[in-house]
Amino acid sequence: MSVEDLPRKEVNVLKGHEGAVLAARFNTDGNYCLSCGKDRTIRLWNPHRGIHIKTYKSHGREVRDVHVTSDNSKLCSCGGDRQIFYWDVATGRVIRKFRGHDGEVNAVKFNEYSSVVVSAGYDQSLRAWDCRSHSTESIQIIDSFSDSVMSLCLTKTEIIGGSVDGTVRTFDIRIGRETSDNLGQPVNCISMSNDGNCILAGCLDSALRLLDRSTGELLQEYKGHTNKSFKLDCCLTNSDAHVTAGSEDGYIYFWDLVDASVVSRFRAHNSVLDRRK
Amino acid sequence: MDSDEEDFVFYGTPIESEEGLASRKKKAIAESSGQLRTLPAWKQEVRDEEGRRRFHGAFTGGYSAGYYNTVGSKEGWTPQTFRSSRKNRAEFKEQNILNFLDEDEKAELEGRFLGTSSQFDTFGFTAAEIARKQAEKEQKQRPSAIPGPAPDELVQPATESIGVKLLLKMGWRRGRSIKDSHADALYDARRQARRAFLAFSSDDPEVKTTESEQNEGDVETFLEQSMDDVQSSKSTAVYKKRSRLSSKGGPGYSKNLSTRDSLFGLKSGKSAPGFGIGALEELDAEDEDVYATGYEFVDTYVEEDEEPSMLRLEYQKKKDQKKDNDNLPGFRVASSTDYQMERFEAPPIPKDFVPRHSFSGPLEINHKKYDVPPPDIPPPEDSNLKILIEGVANLVARSGKLYEDISREKNQSNPLFSFLSGGTGHDYYARKLWEAQQKCKDQTKPLLDGKVSSDVKRLTAESRGQILGEKPLERSSKDPSSSVDSADVQLQFNLTDTFTKSEPFSELPDVEKPFKHDPAKQERFEQFLKDKYRGGLRSTKSSLSGDMSEAARARERLDFEAAAEAILKGNQGKESKLAIPSSMDFVAGGLMQFTSGAEEPKKDMQSEDLSQKKMYPRREEFQWRPSPLLCKRFDLVDPYMGKPAPAPRIRSKLDSLIFTSHSVKGTEIEEPVLAKNISHVQQSADQDITKSTAESETEGDVEVENIERPVDLYKAIFSDDSDDEGEDPNLKKVENREKKAEVANTALSRLIAGDFLESLGKELGLEVPPDMPYPSQKSKNAASQEENVNEHARTDTLKGEHNSEMPSDQDTVFKGGPSKSDYVNMLESGSAKTNATGINDSKSSKSNGESYKDDIKIKSHLPREQDHSSGSSSEEERKRKRSGKSSRDKHEEHRKSKTPSTHRRDYSSDSLSEEESSRKRSRHHRHRRRTESDSSSDNERDRRGSRSKERKKGSSREKSSRSRKHSKHHKHRRH
């Protein structure tokens, strides 16, 4: 993907939320998009046609993150009510509620087989919840973080969490090893490169840092945007050629992966934006 | 009829029970009237008054009671096995007669109890009991304001005791004193004194006069007699004046009155002279009008009374009252309406009051001595000594000169403490002490400043500065834009700046000036920082930014928060210059360009970046144990499959560094085990030598640590040590072995604690645990390698240090052991400093703010941390939390710069906490150790070693959570 191919213009505006939108996530194939926000709802959209498909209401507080299984059949969401909701996409019913976090839940993800939901909470823990059994107890609590866990990534064998304590911790289930990379700055968002070799960590000092996963080496830093106090997402483009992140001034920034120059930026939102693909 | 009914449509179910009841009753009546008497005896049925059959069963002997035809329990005769486990204790049902009685019989039985007949009821106990029961019954019927059973004080016997009767027969009349009332001069004097006191103590002259006037009437005329009466009656135990009834009405009092209504209202005729409740009594109501109302509801007395002078007033009052309002018979609303619930202002705090105890003599001298700050002296080369000096200085500054004297006395013979009495390092000590004192003072003074500044002139700050010999203050006149009194403010800042040399945020002086371009703002920022970290009252005076609007101020405040955070972060990452301007950017980007903060040197940014890049990212690896189910769900093979317990991780330096205090060294238990194992072999041969050598060896360390000892000791004494109780039995069994090991550890730590601890323990009356075998270092027959290991283990124990060499040592020791797998497992991360406990700890020290706080009390390094304890989740709190953490990090950096040997010492607090816990445990299980200690086979040693690892984890977790109970829970969940 060359620079020219980077998205520039707004294709559709998905209007409907009655409050701030806290997260927007595409599904696996990119045909649908889920958003959640302070109006305590999760909304399912067809972003390409700009249609609002469904609203999921049940959360008692703001919804902070949502994730959909790869087969598009289930949702999981979390938020300020300290619970993780496990939804059926089609009916819009809550299948299960997972309670156990002692604080707000910042992020949720399904694992590859959609059998486990992993959540990251303000209570400094990562928790894994079993979707297969009827138990609502967490099957694993990882509490080695020393501050709120903001974001997490899952691979086939690993759980990666980024925390305000400045660490990105990788928990390898296969060998039972925890690897902690201390970045020295509160980590806001982590995102994995598509080849799975790097981790992009958005820090609260207005910098994105690209880490080599195998060595923990800092490969590159991306600066220029503003991210001091909000949770903003960052990710790599599909080709891993560019790094992109939102800025608190409403811009979306694109950096070249290798030389860390700002390739493109455009104004997308009026105030604080959250996520794009 | 049937056809008729078919025509109707019935809704609902007919009420049959009534019919049945009626018929039964009818039957009963018929029976009683003799209609059934014609039946032969064996056909007759015994029924109660409601027509229920009373006897059932084969021989009509089954008594209808309890569970109707059974044996008093639901289960009846169903055979049961007796089962009682630790968790489910078997219940022994106690049977008493009430189980076997019908309700009517119960009712009959009610109120029947053994008691003295009134004839012999000299002291009225039985009568009182009856009265109490009566009152209780009444209270049940109508709930009163006071919940629970009626207090004995409220209920008095209704009858007169024999003593009173006798007295009455002898011609004594109520209201009369037995002895000569006028002879009681002592009482008069006392009363006068009390009145004088009353007059003196009440601030308000009006209140005093009204009260006394109001009292004048009845108290004077009536009190003397009545008081005498009470005295006399006390001797005969007729009635006791439990408390005085205040004549004052108030919101609380009216309630009180109603309560008594429920208690006495129904039997007002025979009610005994109970008195009001003391709880609502005012403090100074003691002497006024005490008996005026206390007597009036005793109707019997009034009737008997033949002395009109005494109760005329009362009668009058009562009549008035009855006219006024239909209150209870015998009660009246307080006559004086001018009473208000008196609320007392908090006593004015003297302006020079310092809210901490100061030892009067020595401390003052101390202050004077250091009026002129001692010269800044380079610390002694010996880093141990330096730390020791600093620690002592801090403690002395906190707890006063007395502490210094004590420690000087105690450590007279100790060369390490020679600095106390003018030896090496005394100058440095003096300097440190002075610094610490300044810090202490600073912490208390802002509190006062906030209050005082309003009415006391600002000059106090200056004069104080002079008194303290501070450097002359420079008035900066470079801020024409600032508000009027900013110069004054600046003054204060300079003052405090000079005080707080070692405050974290003033350590990097140029960094903390993010608003250099705007001095006024910088000042405000500094003030903000001080408010924030100093604790105390946040100054509400808006004079700082007098010309600013509310909104501007609010915004600026936000700004400051961000900047403060950035500074702290910057201190941590040495990157503040980068952080602050961007924080300004953020503010600007949001709504409004507030300052011109964006123009900050860019080159600084670069250099900071470089320095940061060097530090971060840091990679550490730990062992982590995924739950089997998680592995299953992720479709992975459990890496720990078949392995019994989570393998512990070796603590890495880093974790312990970040979270200095109160984190637990999990691995520590292990090392004593090694030490002990080896020493076991040689133990018998040279125990004595070992002991002495160990003592001499440890002494150096002892002194360093015993400064912080007392707090830990207190914890060991007073905190709950029953946390081992609820563990799985099978787990416990294995643990016993390692507990033995811990006993050894205890012994070591006790040694470490030194004489200070011991003496303190003795003072507190603690049982000092018996001496344990010490690891023998200088053993004659020990192989060189073994000795090496031994020594290593010991030094580690003593210093609480876990360095990366540990694994290899363990490997050598445990080579050939049957259960080596755990170690291999543990070591499979290669040379890595894998550590489970480290993580736990790091978490713990964050999570348990309380314990952290405790530590701060000990270590004065981070005074600002103190307000991080409460877990409010507000943003500000959170930010502060973060900043606190970063300051911790900074701390860590500080430490890192020290020599390795210093490092070790630094951990002492951690090791202490560990030792403390193990000591606690050992108290529990010391006896077990005794029995098993002699049988230490190789096998057992190994097992012990491996178990101790598990234990280690447990213990670390034990520490890691907020409360012990909680941690227990936690542990269970994990296992």
Side-chain angles (χ1 to χ4, degrees):
Chain A
M1 198 199 278
S2 67
V3 177
E4 288 71 42
D5 294 333
L6 286 175
R8 266 168 209 290
K9 67 174 179 30
E10 207 169 81
V11 180
N12 269 310
V13 180
L14 309 174
K15 277 189 181 161
H17 272 289
E18 291 153 9
V21 178
L22 295 178
R25 305 275 183 254
F26 275 97
N27 73 337
T28 317
D29 58 10
N31 286 328
Y32 295 95
C33 148
L34 284 157
S35 64
C36 55
K38 284 203 167 168
D39 59 356
R40 296 177 285 183
T41 60
I42 301 155
R43 283 165 199 262
L44 175 63
W45 310 84
N46 184 330
H48 306 293
R49 293 193 288 158
I51 307 167
H52 176 214
I53 300 166
K54 205 171 179 67
T55 305
Y56 301 91
K57 285 183 190 169
S58 203
H59 271 286
R61 295 274 184 95
E62 83 274 11
V63 190
R64 296 201 175 179
D65 196 10
V66 63
H67 196 227
V68 64
T69 57
S70 49
D71 61 356
N72 293 337
S73 66
K74 301 284 193 298
L75 290 182
C76 62
S77 63
C78 66
D81 52 5
R82 303 176 178 192
Q83 299 179 35
I84 291 101
F85 284 55
Y86 181 54
W87 304 80
D88 185 67
V89 170
T91 62
R93 289 214 185 111
V94 178
I95 302 168
R96 217 156 290 151
K97 293 177 187 174
F98 300 112
R99 294 187 188 89
H101 271 292
D102 299 327
E104 293 89 340
V105 190
N106 290 321
V108 278
K109 286 274 187 301
F110 278 111
N111 73 336
E112 207 204 1
Y113 309 106
S114 308
S115 56
V116 173
V117 173
V118 183
S119 61
Y122 183 79
D123 60 349
Q124 312 169 6
S125 70
L126 283 173
R127 282 165 201 254
W129 313 85
D130 190 5
C131 298
R132 294 262 168 87
S133 75
H134 288 282
S135 159
T136 54
E137 290 286 307
S138 54
I139 53 175
Q140 174 96 45
I141 302 169
I142 302 169
D143 49 6
S144 53
F145 292 97
S146 52
D147 207 334
S148 169
V149 190
M150 293 303 288
S151 147
L152 77 144
C153 279
L154 295 182
T155 67
K156 276 185 182 177
T157 63
E158 287 149 313
I159 300 170
I160 308 162
S163 162
V164 179
D165 64 5
T167 58
V168 175
R169 290 175 195 262
T170 307
F171 301 90
D172 194 323
I173 301 164
R174 196 166 38 180
I175 56 171
R177 174 69 41 80
E178 172 191 346
T179 309
S180 161
D181 291 313
N182 195 339
L183 295 176
Q185 293 292 335
V187 176
N188 203 355
C189 166
I190 56 169
S191 161
M192 215 166 38
S193 65
N194 293 306
D195 61 1
N197 289 330
C198 301
I199 280 239
L200 183 70
C203 297
L204 276 179
D205 60 342
S206 299
L208 305 179
R209 293 185 169 83
L210 189 69
L211 299 177
D212 188 288
R213 284 191 53 206
S214 52
T215 63
E217 198 182 333
L218 180 66
L219 297 175
Q220 194 52 268
E221 278 193 25
Y222 307 95
K223 287 182 176 172
H225 67 306
T226 314
N227 185 359
K228 297 291 302 173
S229 53
F230 291 96
K231 182 179 193 299
L232 293 180
D233 281 354
C234 58
C235 65
L236 290 105
T237 53
N238 284 332
S239 57
D240 278 349
H242 298 286
V243 168
T244 175
S247 170
E248 279 168 6
D249 53 13
Y251 281 91
I252 293 177
Y253 281 72
F254 288 89
W255 292 267
D256 189 89
L257 180 84
V258 181
D259 58 13
S261 57
V262 177
V263 188
S264 158
R265 65 170 204 164
F266 59 90
R267 187 156 192 100
H269 295 256
N270 282 327
S271 59
V272 177
L273 95 172
D274 216 332
R275 165 95 182 191
R276 77 284 74 172
K277 174 127 186 165
Chain B
M1 191 165 171
D2 275 351
S3 58
D4 270 357
E5 271 186 5
E6 271 165 21
D7 287 339
F8 292 108
V9 179
F10 289 98
Y11 286 100
T13 49
I15 304 167
E16 269 184 60
S17 57
E18 200 175 298
E19 226 174 272
L21 206 83
S23 69
R24 257 198 295 176
K25 269 203 172 148
K26 243 182 253 168
K27 215 174 180 183
I29 291 161
E31 187 184 3
S32 63
S33 65
Q35 278 185 359
L36 292 174
R37 224 181 294 157
T38 50
L39 282 173
W42 49 273
K43 271 192 175 175
Q44 284 176 14
E45 280 180 341
V46 180
R47 289 171 191 280
D48 63 6
E49 60 271 18
E50 281 168 32
R52 287 178 300 192
R53 254 182 94 180
R54 298 309 312 271
F55 296 117
H56 312 259
F59 299 98
T60 68
Y63 196 47
S64 161
Y67 284 96
Y68 286 93
N69 289 320
T70 63
V71 282
S73 73
K74 206 170 192 171
E75 293 81 23
W77 287 114
T78 316
Q80 279 177 306
T81 49
F82 177 77
R83 213 172 274 171
S84 175
S85 66
R86 192 185 302 173
K87 273 180 187 166
N88 301 324
R89 290 278 179 198
E91 279 180 28
F92 293 98
K93 275 180 196 150
E94 265 189 33
Q95 297 182 335
N96 64 10
I97 189 162
L98 290 174
N99 294 351
F100 302 98
L101 292 180
D102 266 355
E103 49 261 46
D104 50 340
E105 281 162 326
K106 274 178 199 166
E108 239 172 70
L109 204 76
E110 191 115 332
R112 272 204 292 160
F113 61 93
L114 222 55
T116 326
S117 75
S118 63
Q119 198 181 344
F120 302 104
D121 191 16
T122 315
F123 297 107
F125 287 151
T126 312
E129 180 75 358
I130 290 167
R132 198 177 58 78
K133 285 232 162 139
Q134 180 81 12
E136 252 170 33
K137 216 184 274 174
E138 277 160 17
Q139 202 181 20
K140 258 179 224 160
Q141 281 160 10
R142 75 169 78 164
S144 68
I146 300 178
D152 282 344
E153 288 83 7
L154 294 181
V155 187
Q156 293 291 305
T159 57
E160 287 171 344
S161 73
I162 194 76
V164 177
K165 278 180 188 161
L166 277 171
L167 274 171
L168 284 170
K169 277 193 180 162
M170 284 161 71
W172 172 76
R173 271 187 243 144
R174 282 177 201 283
R176 279 275 173 87
S177 169
I178 293 173
K179 46 188 170 175
D180 189 4
S181 64
H182 298 289
D184 201 350
L186 182 70
Y187 164 71
D188 268 350
R190 217 188 296 148
R191 208 175 108 260
Q192 286 296 336
R194 257 189 278 175
R195 284 171 66 93
F197 176 72
L198 192 74
F200 180 73
S201 63
S202 68
D203 293 303
D204 197 354
E206 286 172 35
V207 171
K208 183 182 76 189
T209 49
T210 50
E211 273 173 5
S212 56
E213 269 164 22
Q214 176 230 323
N215 292 343
E216 216 67 41
D218 39 18
V219 172
E220 287 297 331
T221 56
F222 160 74
L223 230 179
E224 279 166 41
Q225 279 185 332
S226 61
M227 187 61 177
D228 291 339
D229 179 31
V230 167
Q231 281 181 339
S232 69
S233 57
K234 256 181 194 162
S235 63
T236 53
V238 182
Y239 45 84
K240 293 177 191 123
K241 192 182 67 60
R242 306 286 174 142
S243 62
R244 298 185 192 99
L245 195 65
S246 160
S247 73
K248 297 181 168 187
Y253 184 68
S254 61
K255 216 180 211 172
N256 183 8
L257 212 63
S258 71
T259 315
R260 211 170 310 122
D261 162 29
S262 72
L263 291 174
F264 297 113
L266 291 181
K267 43 160 192 152
S268 60
K270 54 171 182 170
S271 77
F275 285 86
I277 311 159
L280 295 158
E281 207 174 11
E282 295 298 312
L283 195 75
D284 63 340
E286 203 180 2
D287 268 302
E288 311 117 39
D289 206 8
V290 177
Y291 305 104
T293 45
Y295 276 86
E296 64 183 10
F297 61 87
V298 188
D299 288 357
T300 46
Y301 293 179
V302 174
E303 282 157 20
E304 281 181 20
D305 197 275
E306 293 166 23
E307 200 173 276
S309 67
M310 177 189 154
L311 278 167
R312 188 176 293 154
L313 272 162
E314 298 303 313
Y315 270 126
Q316 199 60 41
K317 274 183 191 167
K318 216 194 282 176
K319 268 172 204 159
D320 290 347
Q321 222 131 52
K322 271 175 186 163
K323 261 179 261 165
D324 286 341
N325 45 14
D326 43 354
N327 228 335
L328 279 170
F331 283 86
R332 58 166 189 139
V333 173
S335 56
S336 55
T337 49
D338 59 340
Y339 172 78
Q340 277 115 11
M341 276 289 271
E342 275 179 76
R343 294 192 182 280
F344 294 99
E345 298 271 315
I349 297 165
K351 288 190 176 99
D352 54 343
F353 174 70
V354 182
R356 79 173 57 216
H357 178 70
S358 55
F359 292 97
S360 51
L363 200 63
E364 290 309 312
I365 294 160
N366 215 19
H367 276 302
K368 271 172 215 155
K369 203 162 84 187
Y370 295 126
D371 263 358
V372 177
D376 205 346
I377 288 179
E381 295 82 47
D382 188 1
S383 51
N384 295 348
L385 188 62
K386 179 175 170 270
I387 291 165
L388 178 61
I389 286 172
E390 279 167 14
V392 171
N394 272 331
L395 268 172
V396 169
R398 265 150 200 275
S399 41
K401 187 79 164 35
L402 209 59
Y403 181 86
E404 189 187 300
D405 294 341
I406 289 169
S407 46
R408 190 182 297 142
E409 233 169 79
K410 291 230 166 179
N411 299 295
Q412 246 166 2
S413 56
N414 193 335
L416 256 177
F417 277 84
S418 63
F419 65 85
L420 282 175
S421 42
T424 49
H426 180 69
D427 293 338
Y428 182 67
Y429 169 71
R431 173 71 193 177
K432 278 284 154 203
L433 180 58
W434 179 79
E435 273 175 19
Q437 274 167 353
Q438 294 309 320
K439 231 191 283 176
C440 274
K441 256 182 265 173
D442 261 12
Q443 274 167 359
T444 55
K445 264 179 186 147
L447 264 170
L448 289 169
D449 278 354
K451 268 191 179 174
V452 172
S453 61
S454 56
D455 45 8
V456 179
K457 291 286 168 274
R458 282 279 162 80
L459 272 178
T460 48
E462 262 174 304
S463 57
R464 192 169 51 233
Q466 275 176 344
I467 289 162
L468 293 167
E470 287 304 321
K471 72 181 178 198
L473 308 160
E474 307 124 8
R475 286 182 177 253
S476 70
S477 53
K478 53 178 177 175
D479 46 353
S481 64
S482 72
S483 56
V484 189
D485 49 356
S486 64
D488 236 357
V489 175
Q490 173 100 24
L491 204 103
Q492 261 192 333
F493 282 134
N494 286 349
L495 191 65
T496 31
D497 264 352
T498 50
F499 281 159
T500 58
K501 268 275 158 51
S502 49
E503 284 285 334
F505 58 82
S506 52
E507 261 173 26
L508 299 170
D510 47 333
V511 162
E512 68 164 7
K513 304 230 187 307
F515 307 103
K516 264 186 227 143
H517 52 279
D518 186 357
K521 189 166 181 182
Q522 174 65 27
E523 279 160 32
R524 289 197 294 272
F525 177 60
E526 277 170 36
Q527 179 61 50
F528 166 81
L529 278 184
K530 263 158 208 157
D531 286 349
K532 187 174 175 184
Y533 296 119
R534 200 67 58 71
L537 298 174
R538 195 152 287 186
S539 64
T540 47
K541 52 181 179 197
S542 53
S543 58
L544 275 180
S545 46
D547 52 349
M548 293 171 78
S549 72
E550 269 302 321
R553 216 174 298 142
R555 222 169 293 124
E556 191 179 65
R557 203 182 144 67
L558 267 179
D559 216 9
F560 286 164
E561 292 264 347
E565 193 189 344
I567 284 180
L568 285 166
K569 235 177 271 158
N571 287 354
Q572 169 195 349
K574 296 216 168 29
E575 213 214 5
S576 60
K577 296 232 168 123
L578 164 72
I580 294 147
S582 42
S583 85
M584 309 284 293
D585 274 347
F586 155 54
V587 173
L591 282 167
M592 170 179 168
Q593 185 70 33
F594 186 70
T595 61
S596 53
E599 20 120 10
E600 275 289 319
K602 285 274 177 187
K603 59 172 170 62
D604 262 345
M605 200 166 122
Q606 288 293 1
S607 62
E608 301 285 4
D609 266 1
L610 281 174
S611 70
Q612 204 211 1
K613 254 176 206 166
K614 268 179 249 158
M615 298 188 58
Y616 294 112
R618 287 185 305 235
R619 169 160 281 209
E620 299 157 60
E621 289 203 8
F622 310 105
Q623 215 153 23
W624 172 66
R625 202 180 163 84
S627 75
L629 189 57
L630 186 75
C631 299
K632 196 177 154 197
R633 292 285 181 253
F634 270 77
D635 206 10
L636 297 168
V637 179
D638 187 351
Y640 293 91
M641 200 153 57
K643 283 160 197 165
R649 291 173 249 178
I650 302 151
R651 153 167 287 277
S652 81
K653 262 181 207 171
L654 231 113
D655 277 294
S656 62
L657 278 169
I658 297 172
F659 306 100
T660 53
S661 37
H662 245 276
S663 47
V664 185
K665 301 286 194 283
T667 37
E668 204 168 4
I669 296 171
E670 193 167 325
E671 289 142 10
V673 178
L674 305 186
K676 191 185 166 249
N677 286 341
I678 296 158
S679 69
H680 251 301
V681 186
Q682 310 141 347
Q683 184 184 332
S684 54
D686 49 7
Q687 195 169 354
D688 287 350
I689 302 163
T690 310
K691 208 155 136 190
S692 60
T693 49
E695 242 149 9
S696 64
E697 287 283 314
T698 49
E699 209 160 79
D701 297 313
V702 166
E703 311 306 17
V704 181
E705 282 158 352
N706 65 11
I707 300 162
E708 293 169 350
R709 202 63 214 170
V711 177
D712 279 343
L713 180 79
Y714 279 123
K715 267 194 211 141
I717 298 160
F718 296 114
S719 58
D720 180 28
D721 50 357
S722 63
D723 18 2
D724 293 335
E725 234 66 90
E727 300 203 14
D728 294 342
N730 56 345
L731 220 140
K732 198 157 189 168
K733 201 177 93 189
V734 200
E735 266 172 11
N736 291 343
R737 247 172 256 126
E738 93 220 12
K739 258 157 204 158
K740 293 195 305 177
E742 282 155 14
V743 173
N745 190 15
T746 311
L748 267 178
S749 58
R750 229 167 32 73
L751 246 188
I752 292 162
D755 45 356
F756 186 83
L757 165 67
E758 269 179 21
S759 62
L760 190 59
K762 270 171 204 158
E763 273 169 31
L764 288 165
L766 266 185
E767 183 215 352
V768 179
D771 278 350
M772 295 297 154
Y774 302 106
S776 72
Q777 191 196 4
K778 302 269 161 78
S779 56
K780 297 150 201 162
N781 52 351
S784 65
Q785 197 209 5
E786 224 174 34
E787 191 171 317
N788 220 351
V789 172
N790 189 2
E791 178 159 3
H792 187 83
R794 175 147 42 128
T795 48
D796 271 342
T797 319
L798 298 177
K799 291 161 185 170
E801 146 75 325
H802 304 269
N803 41 22
S804 47
E805 304 111 75
M806 271 318 292
S808 61
D809 281 328
Q810 282 162 358
D811 217 14
T812 53
V813 174
F814 285 93
K815 212 163 267 173
S819 66
K820 214 175 75 179
S821 62
D822 273 350
Y823 284 93
V824 175
N825 202 356
M826 183 180 70
L827 291 165
E828 76 187 354
S829 59
S831 65
K833 320 151 196 177
T834 52
N835 190 352
T837 52
I839 295 165
N840 278 330
D841 295 346
S842 61
K843 168 129 172 96
S844 78
S845 47
K846 201 208 160 200
S847 65
N848 55 357
E850 286 156 36
S851 63
Y852 195 78
K853 224 169 94 186
D854 281 349
D855 270 359
I856 289 154
K857 277 177 199 151
I858 304 163
K859 309 186 155 207
S860 62
H861 302 264
L862 302 169
R864 65 165 74 163
E865 292 280 329
Q866 274 164 352
D867 44 353
H868 292 154
S869 55
S870 67
S872 147
S873 64
S874 71
E875 194 56 32
E876 188 193 323
E877 184 69 30
R878 209 164 139 54
K879 269 183 188 160
R880 236 190 274 174
K881 204 156 123 194
R882 246 178 254 155
S883 67
K885 205 182 307 142
S886 58
S887 80
R888 246 173 279 152
D889 280 359
K890 200 168 65 57
H891 198 108
E892 160 222 356
E893 279 166 31
H894 188 64
R895 290 179 167 202
K896 273 176 84 177
S897 64
K898 287 179 192 165
T899 61
S901 66
T902 338
H903 260 313
R904 301 192 163 185
R905 295 282 140 68
D906 270 2
Y907 295 126
S908 60
S909 75
D910 300 24
S911 72
L912 291 181
S913 63
E914 176 63 32
E915 286 152 19
E916 165 224 320
S917 78
S918 59
R919 189 181 314 118
K920 252 184 288 165
R921 254 175 262 123
S922 70
R923 261 194 273 150
H924 264 283
H925 301 279
R926 198 173 299 134
H927 59 284
R928 284 194 183 124
R929 193 206 150 267
R930 290 261 177 70
T931 55
E932 290 181 6
S933 59
D934 15 10
S935 67
S936 69
S937 67
D938 253 16
N939 189 17
E940 197 193 32
R941 194 188 307 166
D942 264 325
R943 262 187 297 158
R944 216 184 294 153
S946 65
R947 288 308 307 177
S948 79
K949 288 169 138 197
E950 184 182 312
R951 179 65 213 170
K952 184 166 54 182
K953 189 149 188 183
S955 74
S956 77
R957 246 182 248 130
E958 186 174 290
K959 281 284 162 52
S960 71
S961 52
R962 249 155 267 200
S963 69
R964 284 171 192 282
K965 258 211 178 112
H966 180 86
S967 77
K968 197 168 76 183
H969 183 67
H970 195 64
K971 206 186 305 181
H972 278 300
R973 206 165 37 177
R974 272 289 188 90
H975 278 294

